[in-house]
């Protein structure tokens, strides 16, 4: 393990503890040392590294912003207005050009990708999910459309309790390899999604990471 001497030996996080303090501060920037990861090119060279603490006009409106970021264990913070960087912050030991766990920011990136596919005429958001992933036939996703999933309008039996080992979100993690597997867990993410049940009714918002 690299980047933090305190994470050596007995202090190093495991698959079951890396999402918890204090090990998560190290793990969020070193996830590739815990689970398999892949690098996706940004498609253009990174911009030159600038000062890692720069608040500009925000400093007047929120004079204790840096203290708040430190007290909430924020690793990095960036505010954009158009192409202008209004403010940015990175705690000591964190670089703006190094990988860092995104967690549910991935949902926004997925939405952008789908939006591009729709704009290019390659995907109709009214398409039933099982027309794209037929292995989900018989699951709660048998009926809803791509748009229903993007808008999180599907009624699913999915507990988003991140600290309850009996919750679906923890089983989701285990099936994905983000926690130690249990004998009765689905074999992988696709098998986990196929196991989900619920009324499948659409129209009411329900935040659900499985979507």
């Amino acid at each position: 393990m690299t980047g933090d001497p305190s994470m050596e030996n007995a202090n190093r996080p495991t698959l079951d503890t890396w999402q918890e303090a204090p090990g998560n501060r190290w793990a969020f920037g070193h996830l590739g040392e815990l689970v398999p990861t892949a690098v996706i090119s940004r498609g253009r060279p990174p911009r030159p590294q600038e000062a890692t603490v720069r608040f500009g006009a925000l400093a007047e409106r929120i004079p204790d912003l840096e203290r708040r970021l430190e007290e909430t264990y924020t690793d990095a913070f960036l505010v954009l207005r158009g192409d202008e960087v209004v403010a940015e912050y990175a705690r000591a030991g964190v670089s703006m050009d190094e990988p860092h766990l995104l967690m549910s920011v991935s949902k926004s990136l997925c939405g952008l990708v789908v939006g591009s596919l729709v704009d290019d005429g390659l995907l109709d958001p009214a398409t039933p999910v099982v027309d794209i992933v037929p292995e989900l036939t018989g699951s709660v996703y048998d009926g809803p459309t791509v748009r229903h999933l993007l808008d999180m309008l599907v009624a699913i039996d999915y507990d988003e309790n991140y600290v309850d080992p009996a919750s679906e979100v923890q089983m989701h993690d285990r099936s994905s390899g983000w926690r130690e597997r249990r004998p009765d867990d689905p074999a992988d993410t696709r098998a986990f999604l196929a196991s989900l049940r619920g009324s499948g009714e659409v129209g009411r918002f329900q935040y659900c990471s499985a979507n």
Side-chain angles (χ1 to χ4, degrees):
M1 289 192 162
T2 60
D4 187 343
S6 69
M7 288 296 105
E8 296 296 334
N9 301 324
N11 293 325
R12 63 179 58 183
T14 67
L15 273 181
D16 281 335
T17 64
W18 68 267
Q19 300 184 57
E20 304 167 6
N24 59 344
R25 297 211 73 179
W26 176 89
F28 285 6
H30 298 83
L31 195 59
E33 297 183 42
L34 293 168
V35 300
T37 61
V39 176
I40 300 174
S41 172
R42 73 181 76 205
R44 60 182 178 183
R47 63 182 177 84
Q49 182 69 29
E50 300 174 5
T52 55
V53 177
R54 182 160 59 98
F55 293 135
L58 282 186
E60 298 179 4
R61 301 187 62 176
I62 314 176
D64 61 342
L65 177 57
E66 186 168 2
R67 178 183 62 80
R68 293 190 191 187
L69 294 172
E70 292 172 353
E71 289 181 351
T72 54
Y73 299 96
T74 301
D75 286 339
F77 176 81
L78 179 69
V79 179
L80 299 173
R81 182 188 293 118
D83 293 332
E84 175 193 2
V85 176
V86 176
E88 63 180 331
Y89 161 90
R91 72 172 178 85
V94 174
S95 172
M96 288 290 196
D97 58 2
E98 293 181 352
H100 191 280
L101 181 65
L102 289 177
M103 284 294 194
S104 289
V105 175
S106 302
K107 295 179 174 68
S108 297
L109 297 180
C110 178
L112 290 170
V113 171
V114 173
S116 294
L117 294 173
V118 172
D119 192 50
D120 290 342
L122 300 175
L123 176 65
D124 181 356
T127 302
V129 174
V130 294
D131 285 3
I132 301 173
V133 189
E135 294 90 339
L136 296 179
T137 300
S139 74
V140 71
Y141 295 117
D142 192 348
T145 67
V146 172
R147 185 183 297 281
H148 292 143
L149 263 64
L150 290 170
D151 292 339
M152 295 203 176
L153 297 178
V154 184
I156 302 177
D157 294 336
Y158 189 99
D159 185 2
E160 197 90 18
N161 187 336
Y162 305 108
V163 297
D164 182 2
S167 67
E168 282 78 11
V169 72
Q170 279 217 11
M171 181 184 288
H172 192 172
D173 276 358
R174 296 195 301 269
S175 300
S176 304
W178 275 31
R179 295 179 187 267
E180 291 289 349
R181 288 183 49 79
R182 296 184 175 185
D184 56 346
D185 287 335
D188 52 31
T189 299
R190 185 168 297 197
F192 169 78
L193 296 176
S195 75
L196 289 178
R197 297 296 182 265
S199 70
E201 294 181 2
V202 297
R204 181 178 180 181
F205 179 80
Q206 176 190 340
Y207 185 89
C208 179
S209 290
N211 292 337

